[in-house]
Amino acid sequence: MSRPMSDTLTVRLDEAARRALRQLTRGGRSRSEVVREALVAAVEAREREALREEVRRVAADPQDRAEARAVLEFMEGLDDAR
């Protein structure tokens, strides 16, 4: 269920943003729709990058890797016990 649109946003666009907006609305989509989708996509991209950074940090941590290996070996041992 979608919520009614109530917030209005006014922005000043530079030339790069104007070109991007023209390109994204070329197919008949509204400026509002394009901007809403871009905002959501920007947050999703930021969250994906934060997750990638966390994965890199964990992968580089020898103590964390040793703990993960120990958990995996324990879990495999449970499978073998069946």
Side-chain angles (χ1 to χ4, degrees):
M1 183 166 143
S2 69
R3 294 182 23 209
M5 304 294 165
S6 61
D7 292 342
T8 301
L9 175 67
T10 302
V11 298
R12 291 188 178 103
L13 302 177
D14 60 12
E15 186 53 38
R18 275 192 293 278
R19 279 194 308 271
L21 186 59
R22 276 194 305 270
Q23 181 179 359
L24 291 169
T25 56
R26 207 172 277 150
R29 295 172 57 215
S30 75
R31 294 164 52 129
S32 292
E33 180 183 10
V34 166
V35 170
R36 283 191 301 270
E37 287 180 6
L39 289 170
V40 171
V43 169
E44 290 171 349
R46 183 175 284 183
E47 289 170 347
R48 281 190 305 274
E49 181 53 37
L51 184 57
R52 279 193 291 274
E53 181 55 36
E54 176 69 9
V55 167
R56 284 190 287 269
R57 185 190 65 72
V58 168
D61 181 345
Q63 184 176 354
D64 194 74
R65 292 183 63 156
E67 185 176 332
R69 197 170 16 262
V71 169
L72 179 60
E73 289 170 2
F74 174 76
M75 297 300 287
E76 288 173 343
L78 293 176
D79 263 353
D80 293 342
R82 287 186 200 194

